[in-house]
């Protein structure tokens, strides 16, 4: 089939995925039939060269990036990266992706049949393109071409890609939300750009922004980030764009602190203490702190008011509008914060909810606030993007009113029906725990793993992210391999070592005896190649 007049520049629009063009190799048997003329740019020439020089009918002997590159006359990976940066990124993109949906916009008719193609050990199954009755071909949507890689047992599970709804993480490593207390009027700034950007450069699959207030009074402190007004989007989007440019995904945790709000920052008298009240002069809102009930459990914190129906409606709408703004900023994943003693937990925990209306009393009523939030978020959040929900799997208390893992399992079944895609399993008391009721926790290991196990046992198809005490990459890898979780979230480990993901890949590759890190969903940035560190990945 001959497509005269269609230059390679047009094919870019057809094959575009982010900023790279990995499908050229998988489709090369049909691409060579296209008449790519009018070569104008260096990229067009490179594109034509790669199409014409790949042997026919297969390229199964291209088992590694080095072999592929040598076919084009380059002496080394470094020379290739320096002289042909666009194609270098294309090679990397091809080798990194395990589950990828290429949304192909058709500008010309496609072949009616494309068979399996093996590329460097990656086997692609390409669905056929069938013409519609009017002669046109399917566009973006369910008719898209899907590429998938057969499971490679040599690839450590931690480093394998993961697809949830329409997004694909290049590996299972997630930077957990961590408050930085460095915003002004809720706006992210250059600190946040540098802070989150460093994890993207260094290979994390997903970076979730810190607990971000859906209302100004929903923040933990006056220095917490916010997304309660449209102007916040302009500060968030450049960070998201940079994260995407490095091949990572960006998430945001939407939050309301409830009675733990209007607190001082750790830099201003709160270190190793909890809920020290920030006065109005310090930017706080001491007279406008709300909770499910008017319990005053922290002596140095604000005295909360019981939320009125109008308060509840405002907060639920705040989450809805925050999700809308997050999508405008290009965020890939929203996480609803329902843990750590913040407002959602203040509602669902019997220890803190003393209400007698439809938001208190029974399990259904106490969880209504959180489920109403999820409904509101899902109503505006795109269907192809996932919703995570962080929950306190247990309050580590034997008290009869305390939230327990059995409650979490019961709620999770409801949340999945409402459109939540993954439970981010954490744990926390909603307030001070009586010593006689306290259930001891072993903080020397991932202490929430037992909760994840119980959830997966009760709901076998549950999708779980695990957070808490994960520091050893071999333990993280074993968690994924066991099926206890699909993702691992790390917080302080990344603060101590921003290279954690790269170091994990190095250590796992050494143990597993697998191939180049570039084939495993993670690789050193080319800008750092001269440091000598990338050789540790090989």
């Amino acid at each position: 089939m001959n497509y005269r007049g269609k230059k390679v520049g047009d094919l870019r629009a057809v094959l575009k995925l982010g900023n790279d063009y990995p499908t050229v190799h998988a489709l090369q048997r049909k691409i060579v039939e296209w008449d790519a003329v009018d070569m104008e740019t260096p990229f067009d020439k490179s594109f034509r060269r790669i199409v014409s020089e790949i042997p026919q009918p297969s390229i199964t002997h291209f088992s590694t990036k080095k072999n592929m590159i040598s076919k084009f006359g380059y002496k080394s990976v470094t020379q290739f990266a320096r002289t042909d940066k666009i194609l270098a990124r294309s090679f990397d993109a091809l080798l990194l992706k395990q589950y990828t949906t290429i949304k192909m916009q058709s500008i010309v008719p496609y072949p009616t049949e494309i068979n399996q193609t093996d590329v460097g050990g990656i086997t692609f199954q390409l669905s056929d393109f069938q013409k519609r009755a009017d002669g046109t071909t399917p566009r973006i949507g369910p008719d898209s071409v899907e590429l998938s890689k057969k499971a490679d047992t040599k690839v450590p599970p931690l480093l394998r890609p993961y697809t949830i709804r329409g997004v694909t993480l290049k590996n299972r490593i997630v930077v957990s939300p961590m408050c930085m207390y460095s915003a002004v009027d809720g706006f992210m700034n250059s600190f946040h750009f540098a802070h989150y950007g460093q994890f993207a450069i260094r290979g994390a699959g997903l970076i979730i922004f810190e607990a971000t207030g859906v209302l100004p009074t929903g923040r933990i402190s006056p220095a917490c980030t916010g997304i309660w007004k449209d102007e916040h989007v302009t500060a968030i989007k450049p960070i998201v764009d940079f994260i995407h440019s490095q091949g990572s995904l960006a998430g945001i945790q939407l939050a309301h602190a409830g009675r733990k709000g209007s607190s001082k920052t750790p830099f201003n008298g709160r270190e190793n203490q909890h809920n020290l009240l920030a006065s109005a002069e310090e930017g706080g809102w001491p007279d406008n702190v709300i909770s499910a009930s008017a319990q005053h459990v922290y002596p140095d914190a604000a005295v909360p008011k019981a939320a009125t129906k109008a308060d509840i409606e405002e907060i639920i709408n705040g989450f809805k509008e925050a999700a809308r703004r997050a999508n405008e900023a290009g965020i890939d994943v929203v996480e609803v914060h329902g843990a750590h003693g913040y407002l959602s937990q203040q509602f669902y925990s019997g220890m803190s909810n003393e209400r007698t209306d439809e938001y208190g009393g029974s399990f259904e009523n106490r969880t209504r606030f959180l489920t109403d939030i999820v409904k509101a978020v899902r109503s505006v959040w795109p269907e192809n993007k996932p919703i995570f929900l962080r929950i306190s799997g247990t309050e580590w208390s034997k008290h009869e009113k305390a939230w327990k893992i059995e409650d979490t399992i019961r709620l999770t079944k409801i949340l999945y029906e409402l459109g939540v895609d993954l439970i981010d399993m954490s744990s926390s008391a909603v307030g001070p725990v009586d010593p006689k009721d306290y259930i001891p926790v072993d903080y020397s290991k991932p202490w929430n793993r037992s909760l994840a196990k119980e959830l997966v046992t009760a709901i076998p198809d549950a999708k779980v992210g695990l957070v808490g005490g994960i520091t050893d990459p071999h333990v993280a890898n074993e968690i994924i391999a066991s099926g206890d979780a699909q993702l691992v979230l790390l917080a302080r480990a990344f603060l101590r070592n921003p290279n954690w993901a790269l170091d994990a890949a190095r250590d796992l590759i050494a143990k597993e005896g697998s191939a180049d890190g570039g084939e495993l969903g993670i690789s050193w940035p080319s800008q750092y190649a001269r440091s000598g560190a990338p050789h540790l990945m090989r």
Side-chain angles (χ1 to χ4, degrees):
M1 190 173 293
N2 194 2
Y3 308 114
R4 288 185 169 83
K6 296 299 180 184
K7 61 182 180 180
V8 173
D10 290 330
L11 296 180
R12 290 190 215 167
V14 179
L15 301 173
K16 187 173 183 182
L17 174 65
N19 294 319
D20 46 52
Y21 310 85
T23 57
V24 58
H25 311 290
L27 297 173
Q28 47 86 30
R29 277 187 277 182
K30 293 300 178 182
I31 291 175
V32 293
E33 298 176 6
W34 304 346
D35 183 20
V37 297
D38 298 331
M39 304 302 174
E40 296 175 347
T41 68
F43 177 82
D44 292 334
K45 295 177 182 178
S46 298
F47 193 104
R48 181 59 174 174
R49 186 182 71 250
I50 204 171
V51 169
S52 63
E53 295 187 12
I54 291 177
Q56 307 298 322
S58 70
I59 51 174
T60 55
H61 61 285
F62 285 155
S63 59
T64 67
K65 187 195 304 184
K66 289 183 180 179
N67 288 339
M68 295 172 79
I69 290 169
S70 67
K71 275 289 176 182
F72 299 108
Y74 295 104
K75 296 180 180 179
S76 66
V77 174
T78 301
Q79 183 193 31
F80 175 67
R82 288 176 177 173
T83 58
D84 211 335
K85 294 181 180 178
I86 295 177
L87 286 178
R89 289 197 296 270
S90 297
F91 274 123
D92 286 340
L94 171 68
L95 295 174
L96 293 182
K97 296 185 185 299
Q98 182 175 10
Y99 301 107
T100 306
T101 296
I102 308 299
K103 295 180 176 179
M104 303 180 70
Q105 290 182 312
S106 174
I107 55 174
V108 293
Y110 274 84
T112 58
E113 181 180 359
I114 306 176
N115 298 320
Q116 287 191 357
T117 303
D118 187 89
V119 183
I122 302 176
T123 299
F124 297 95
Q125 179 65 53
L126 288 82
S127 59
D128 297 343
F129 267 92
Q130 302 295 335
K131 292 182 181 179
R132 297 193 181 98
D134 60 1
T136 63
T137 51
R139 297 181 68 84
I140 292 177
D143 297 314
S144 300
V145 175
E146 293 186 355
L147 286 69
S148 64
K149 178 189 171 185
K150 289 182 177 178
D152 183 352
T153 56
K154 292 184 179 180
V155 177
L158 185 66
L159 304 181
R160 296 176 189 170
Y162 180 66
T163 296
I164 184 165
R165 286 200 186 240
V167 303
T168 299
L169 287 71
K170 63 184 178 183
N171 56 54
R172 310 301 183 92
I173 302 167
V174 181
V175 178
S176 184
M178 292 177 280
C179 293
M180 291 291 107
Y181 307 103
S182 299
V184 177
D185 190 29
F187 283 91
M188 294 187 186
N189 51 49
S190 56
F191 170 82
H192 297 90
F193 195 112
H195 171 66
Y196 292 118
Q198 68 178 331
F199 304 125
I201 290 174
R202 292 167 171 85
L206 169 65
I207 298 102
I208 304 181
F209 298 159
E210 60 205 81
T212 301
V214 300
L215 295 173
T217 53
R219 293 171 293 169
I220 300 169
S221 80
C224 288
T225 55
I227 191 168
W228 66 81
K229 53 187 176 182
D230 292 344
E231 291 81 0
H232 286 140
V233 173
T234 61
I236 297 171
K237 193 174 189 308
I239 305 174
V240 174
D241 290 343
F242 179 77
I243 289 172
H244 287 165
S245 76
Q246 303 303 303
S248 298
L249 300 183
I252 191 168
Q253 188 181 67
L254 305 181
H256 194 295
R259 70 187 184 188
K260 297 178 76 173
S262 192
S263 295
K264 292 185 178 182
T265 71
F267 325 132
N268 189 22
R270 197 168 69 84
E271 187 172 3
N272 298 321
Q273 302 182 65
H274 293 283
N275 307 102
L276 295 181
L277 182 64
S279 66
E281 292 74 22
E282 295 171 305
W285 46 99
D287 298 325
N288 197 18
V289 173
I290 64 171
S291 183
S293 303
Q295 284 185 353
H296 187 211
V297 296
Y298 298 108
D300 297 315
V303 178
K305 303 173 185 177
T308 65
K309 298 288 183 63
D311 292 331
I312 291 172
E313 291 176 2
E314 180 186 24
I315 294 166
I316 292 171
N317 188 64
F319 273 91
K320 178 179 179 179
E321 288 300 295
R324 176 185 62 79
R325 295 184 185 103
N327 186 52
E328 290 178 2
I331 293 287
D332 304 291
V333 176
V334 292
E335 176 169 275
V336 174
H337 199 348
H340 300 173
Y342 295 115
L343 187 57
S344 289
Q345 187 173 351
Q346 292 162 30
F347 269 87
Y348 67 66
S349 174
M351 299 294 290
S352 52
N353 189 333
E354 300 173 343
R355 302 176 72 95
T356 58
D357 62 2
E358 67 267 36
Y359 287 97
S362 68
F363 173 90
E364 181 182 8
N365 285 355
R366 286 184 285 109
T367 58
R368 189 186 308 278
F369 178 72
L370 182 55
T371 57
D372 282 355
I373 287 173
V374 169
K375 291 175 186 176
V377 170
R378 186 78 269 177
S379 72
V380 297
W381 191 241
E383 282 296 315
N384 65 331
K385 292 184 178 183
I387 294 175
F388 293 3
L389 189 140
R390 174 163 285 185
I391 196 164
S392 289
T394 181
E395 293 180 333
W396 302 114
S397 171
K398 293 178 286 187
H399 195 285
E400 63 179 1
K401 292 185 178 181
W403 186 262
K404 298 176 177 62
I405 185 60
E406 293 79 12
D407 298 309
T408 293
I409 293 170
R410 182 179 175 185
L411 177 59
T412 295
K413 294 176 181 178
I414 298 170
L415 294 172
Y416 283 155
E417 290 294 323
L418 296 178
V420 169
D421 300 284
L422 180 141
I423 294 296
D424 179 359
M425 184 64 78
S426 189
S427 61
S428 173
V430 73
V433 177
D434 191 319
K436 67 179 174 58
D437 294 326
Y438 179 66
I439 299 174
V441 183
D442 183 0
Y443 291 109
S444 67
K445 60 183 181 180
W447 57 86
N448 295 316
R449 187 173 183 181
S450 62
L451 305 175
K453 281 178 176 288
E454 290 194 55
L455 180 64
V456 172
T457 299
I459 310 175
D461 60 347
K463 296 180 177 65
V464 181
L466 185 60
V467 67
I470 302 171
T471 58
D472 186 325
H474 299 285
V475 172
N477 190 57
E478 194 273 326
I479 289 171
I480 301 299
S482 71
D484 289 343
Q486 283 68 49
L487 302 174
V488 291
L489 292 88
L490 292 86
R492 292 177 177 85
F494 268 113
L495 296 183
R496 290 189 291 268
N497 176 20
N499 284 338
W500 192 93
L502 292 168
D503 290 347
R506 176 199 62 201
D507 293 347
L508 291 173
I509 290 166
K511 179 180 179 181
E512 302 285 338
S514 191
D516 189 318
E519 298 178 16
L520 302 172
I522 188 169
S523 61
W524 276 82
S526 58
Q527 294 91 335
Y528 294 178
R530 61 182 178 274
S531 69
H535 78 278
L536 298 174
M537 299 285 285
R538 300 190 173 93

